[in-house]
Amino acid sequence: MSIIVTGHDFNLQTAHTSYLMGVLENGEMGQYYYGPRLGDKVNYADFRHREFRSVTPTLTEAQADVTMSMIKQEYPSYGHGDFRYPAYQVTYDNGARISEFEYQDYEIEDGKSKLGDLPSASAAADDQHVQTLHVHLLEKQSGLQLTLNYSVFEDEDMIVRSATFANTGTTDLKLNAALSASLDLSDDQYDMVQLSGAWARERHLYRRPLTRGVQAISSTRNASSAQQSPFLALARKQTTEQAGDVYGFNLEYSGNFLAQVEVDSYNVTRVTMGINPFEFGWQLKPRTRFQTPEVMMTFANNGFNGMSHNFHRFLTNHLISQRWVKKPRPVLINNWEATYFDFNEQKLLDIAKSAKSLGIELFVLDDGWFGKRNDDHTSLGDWQVNLAKLPNGLSGLANKVHDLGLQFGLWFEPEMISKESKLYIKHPEWTIHVPDRRMTPARNQFVLDFSRQEVVDYLFDQIAAAIRETHLDYIKWDMNRHITEMFSLALPAEQQEELPHRYILGVYQLYERLTSAFPNVLFESCSSGGGRFDAGMLYYAPQTWTSDDTDAIERLKIQWGTSMIYPLSTMGAHVSAVPNHQDRRVTSLATRADVAYFGVLGYELDISKMAPAEKATVVEQIKFYKQYRELFQQGTFIRLQSPYDGDGNVTSWMVVSGDQTTAIAGRYQVLAEPNPGYRRLKFAGLNPDLQYTIEGVDGQFSGQQLMSAGIFIPALFDERADNKMHTFDFDAKLYVIKAV
Ligand code: DGJ
């Protein structure tokens, strides 16, 4: 039993954690404890000690020691004496914003059901290791019901939370804020860890000590965004990759979000996460309900790697489509950086033929195949082939690619519209804009109003036709701008604040319909690279284009940060041309592959023009990747030496098979060091009692020795003195480790 109920107290237990809460004096839910597992027998009374504080609002005249500002809560309200930021706010029909929810009862469900029109975790009812608790509260005055949902995933040490509001009364209500979860921790001695960035440098790691007051990250772009990830971790000061306590929170949502930490004057740390209340409002008419997205919460006492493994296992077992998550992902070639918009059928077929001869499995035709699209000013929305470029049509090209023995993939940007398009002439009203205000372009394009059912239907028909015509194997779904002038011509004034969330629901609906109608099509999500790398997208599209930045050195930081939450099977990683198109850096073909192996490998350069020696190298790379594909895509990924530590000159990481018999580590050096210090590389995740060999290293080692002492790393000049052509800037080395 992972959920133990004692009277009005609840004990949610995973393999290594406990989460305790109970009903408070005012009928709301109080938070007692979240951390290492306590077992079945708990002294709840100790969590209910109350103390008098002067000049503080009290619950009633008689209960002078019950002050809401001193009490840790589960889903806090504002207006009855707790002046911290709440988890929700409702406006009632008289304009008041004071709620008085009272606990009613609870239900326990075996397994975890899906949420319906939102991406969500799931587990079958006969899964012995997953249970869901629904705690029901009622606002008697208005008839508003609130259900707090907690799914307990024992094996992954994960608790998934969400809230459901249902108006069972007779008056119109409005939700001004409805976050997914709130948690009050009993002290503030944590660092806040976040993943922030920009285009081409997504998910860089930032760590800062908590301080009194509010610290938050958020998105107001209506995309989870490259700028901030819907994630945060709270770690003890001494927590490292391999050791120490850390809480991780991640939102399964792709739109505006808020991830906030508030430290109050009593050192209590309140974490709240969910849809950003800014640019949000929801009319809750009688007999309607509102469901928040889900938050994943985990606690680990074995460092950031421990937290990441919980996220990786959870996403793999319970969120990403089971149809795809463990399926070997094809090695792909993408024509974007090879041709940009300048291609014809012959050029593409030359690339495809070379791809086949190198061992590549999937050919992806990127932007520029439709309408009159020869640059980024035109044709978004017109998803019909450009016959000037592809005179034999899409099917002509697709058939030839299939005949070569390759899979065929296509790029779409479904959510966008160009002013220069047939669609815009026909349906200007489908564009998100305010009629009497300026329209702000970005990448010369505008955004379709995905809150309109007819827009979603139109895109479904367009994309479905292309899938049927080409027997398509793969879709890259791109999204290259954020939304400005947020307004829908189809919504009444009082519902305009619903547009950001309704837009995301429309995106999810299109994904749901396409993935259900065409279950054999593999989807990769993309947003100018990794601008929408989130669990909401991964629910539909099992892989995401991690970043437009394919420079191997920049990728160390990007892939390191991304791996904080997401497993390697989700990260598209390509070998591209040098000088690199984003930062002009020149790295060796070997280094580029040695970084890209740790993800879903692809190539994105004109391979038809490669020198024979380079082609031979690529053949070997793809052979190597396929030999260890399962390990690279499904193994346990462990971060060893951080590119964010010290001068960041050395990064290392590794991936270990489930049975700990095979592992591959990568060690990367940014700049060569003359006469360097003494160096060793310590591994992790191996079986201490097994003996291992390492290709290229003499002798055998116990797993214990490899993890505790590591191996000697010689100065690179000595080691490769024979290779006069080798540069030791941007150097990479792989270690293939096998149990004897
Ligand atoms: C942005 C993507 O990240 C690129 O990979 C490419 O698909 C371009 N868009 C095409 O416009």
Side-chain angles (χ1 to χ4, degrees), residues 336 366-367 411 443 476 478 480 526 528-529 545 548 604:
W336 178 242
D366 209 279
D367 195 355
W411 178 96
R443 210 196 186 207
K476 178 176 174 187
D478 203 349
N480 284 303
C526 171
S528 303
W545 179 222
D548 277 349
E604 186 159 344

Side-chain angles (χ1 to χ4, degrees), residues 199 202 334 336-337 340-341 366-368 373 376 380 411-413 443 445 476-480 526-531 545 547-549 574 604:
W199 172 78
E202 297 90 341
N334 180 303
W336 178 242
E337 289 199 1
Y340 293 103
F341 293 106
D366 209 279
D367 195 355
R373 190 146 164 105
D376 61 18
L380 292 167
W411 178 96
F412 288 90
E413 195 175 1
R443 210 196 186 207
Q445 65 195 47
K476 178 176 174 187
W477 177 324
D478 203 349
M479 194 277 278
N480 284 303
C526 171
S527 175
S528 303
W545 179 222
S547 176
D548 277 349
D549 195 337
H574 298 179
E604 186 159 344

Side-chain angles (χ1 to χ4, degrees), residues 479-499:
M479 194 277 278
N480 284 303
R481 67 156 293 175
H482 296 139
I483 307 182
T484 52
E485 294 88 35
M486 183 67 85
F487 187 86
S488 168
L489 292 179
L491 287 172
E494 67 278 12
Q495 281 187 285
Q496 287 296 334
E497 284 171 320
E498 297 177 13
L499 180 58

